[in-house]
Amino acid sequence: METWQEVTVHVHRDAQEAVSNLLIETGSQGVAIADSADYIGQKDRFGELYPDVEQSDMIAITAYYPSSTNLADVTVTINEQLAELASFGLQVGQVTVDSQELAEEDWADNWKKYYEPARITHDLTIVPSWTDYDASAGEKVIKLDPGMAFGTGTHPTTKMSLFALEQVLRGGETVIDVGTGSGVLSIASSLLGAKTIYAYDLDDVAVRVAQENIDLNQGTDNIHVAAGDLLKGVGQEADVIVANILADILVLLTDDAYRLVKDQGYLILSGIISEKLDMVLEAAFSAGFFLETHMVQGEWNALVFKKTDDISGVIGG
């Protein structure tokens, strides 16, 4: 029977996606995220509201490593990379190592118990892949396997990206998803009527995970996933480009985005902590975009820019 070792990192909620990716890169085969905010106003699978849970800005991300992994070496690497994330302005915390043996089937039960279907926008609901869920009329269901490392899609940066896609997509568009991660934004774009979606990620693990999640959702054959470094070498024009990654990376793609976005098209940027907001705005404005919508949740910001000569309907126009 294969056994697993646990490593738990306690971090601020803002660092959830970055730390989850970090743990996968150090060899974790999956993560479970315990976040008190996930229970606010949510119902369990039987339709009952969860009882009040004491709220905290800190979350626990538990990573699972094969029994052959040297956790001492892994912990050193994690702490070094957490320090690097802190330099980007993310609030990170302490690593707790738990070397208890965990059977394969126990691991599955451990991380699955944290996830329930979550209504994210007016139309979009994210549902764990193993859950039976009856969608209401007009509800669009995104099936995800959170155990693949990239969380449940309920992080504020993802939520705002989904709201933005719902705002700009009308049907028939070409979408480019930069740094696709779990593939959730590409899947949402398909469900919202986009004709063709190109999803790119620098991380081979993310490319595989995104494709596996896409395969869970019917009617998503219009999504094409590939390895790619932001928009370098991309020649396909798009009606919408969406990127939910760190602000320091977003500023590197705005010029290429302007080259690829069609006239009257949109650039959606999310993953921006407030102290980096001006930097991202300046990069997008310098590229030629106009700001149409600014969304804020806590310390996180998402921006919807438009490529247009008619600035009467945009902020600052």
Side-chain angles (χ1 to χ4, degrees):
M1 177 179 63
E2 188 168 7
T3 57
W4 301 85
Q5 303 175 93
E6 295 181 350
V7 172
T8 300
V9 183
H10 297 273
V11 298
H12 193 277
R13 184 177 294 110
D14 291 350
Q16 172 184 315
E17 294 189 9
V19 174
S20 296
N21 292 345
L22 180 162
L23 293 169
I24 293 301
E25 290 172 356
T26 60
S28 169
Q29 300 301 295
V31 299
I33 300 168
D35 185 348
S36 58
D38 287 342
Y39 294 92
I40 299 176
Q42 294 294 331
K43 298 179 181 179
D44 63 21
R45 68 189 61 191
F46 304 107
E48 298 294 329
L49 283 171
Y50 285 110
D52 290 338
V53 175
E54 183 178 354
Q55 294 300 302
S56 170
D57 289 334
M58 301 299 290
I59 63 173
I61 305 177
T62 299
Y64 298 90
Y65 294 84
S67 57
S68 58
T69 301
N70 185 325
L71 287 189
D73 291 343
V74 167
T75 303
V76 170
T77 301
I78 292 173
N79 279 313
E80 290 174 349
Q81 295 191 21
L82 286 176
E84 290 185 18
L85 289 177
S87 69
F88 286 107
L90 295 178
Q91 299 185 48
V92 297
Q94 298 298 317
V95 178
T96 302
V97 178
D98 183 351
S99 59
Q100 71 171 327
E101 291 188 348
L102 193 67
E104 180 106 34
E105 58 269 24
D106 294 334
W107 173 28
D109 289 339
N110 262 21
W111 62 262
K112 285 184 178 181
K113 69 184 180 183
Y114 292 108
Y115 302 115
E116 296 286 344
R119 190 71 172 257
I120 304 299
T121 71
H122 181 272
D123 292 329
L124 296 169
T125 296
I126 295 177
V127 177
S129 60
W130 62 87
T131 302
D132 292 328
Y133 183 79
D134 294 324
S136 59
E139 188 177 8
K140 297 175 173 62
V141 172
I142 301 171
K143 290 186 177 180
L144 288 184
D145 190 337
M148 292 175 177
F150 292 90
T152 61
T154 59
H155 189 272
T157 62
T158 309
K159 286 183 178 180
M160 290 188 288
S161 299
L162 292 170
F163 273 110
L165 287 169
E166 202 171 72
Q167 170 187 323
V168 304
L169 291 177
R170 295 294 179 265
E173 295 90 352
T174 297
V175 175
I176 296 177
D177 177 10
V178 184
T180 189
S182 68
V184 61
L185 301 183
S186 290
I187 297 167
S189 296
S190 180
L191 294 177
L192 291 169
K195 181 179 180 180
T196 308
I197 302 101
Y198 298 94
Y200 299 105
D201 205 292
L202 185 62
D203 184 356
D204 290 337
V205 173
V207 172
R208 174 179 59 80
V209 167
Q211 187 61 62
E212 290 174 352
N213 277 326
I214 289 163
D215 291 342
L216 293 173
N217 294 267
Q218 294 183 351
T220 54
D221 293 340
N222 57 341
I223 304 174
H224 309 281
V225 187
D229 185 359
L230 301 179
L231 294 169
K232 295 176 183 177
V234 176
Q236 173 66 51
E237 291 188 335
D239 301 285
V240 178
I241 294 178
V242 58
N244 177 23
I245 46 185
L246 291 174
D248 296 82
I249 308 301
L250 291 175
V251 298
L252 302 178
L253 62 79
T254 51
D255 287 337
D256 279 333
Y258 192 82
R259 171 177 59 86
L260 296 173
V261 171
K262 299 177 184 178
D263 289 340
Q264 306 304 312
Y266 295 93
L267 172 65
I268 300 168
L269 301 180
S270 189
I272 308 162
I273 57 174
S274 293
E275 65 185 63
K276 305 274 186 171
L277 176 61
D278 289 342
M279 177 181 71
V280 177
L281 286 169
E282 181 179 351
F285 291 152
S286 296
F289 288 102
F290 291 92
L291 180 63
E292 183 167 276
T293 305
H294 178 194
M295 291 177 279
V296 183
Q297 285 194 24
E299 288 298 309
W300 291 105
N301 298 261
L303 305 168
V304 180
F305 296 95
K306 192 169 186 178
K307 181 178 179 179
T308 180
D309 292 327
D310 178 10
I311 61 174
S312 59
V314 296
I315 298 174

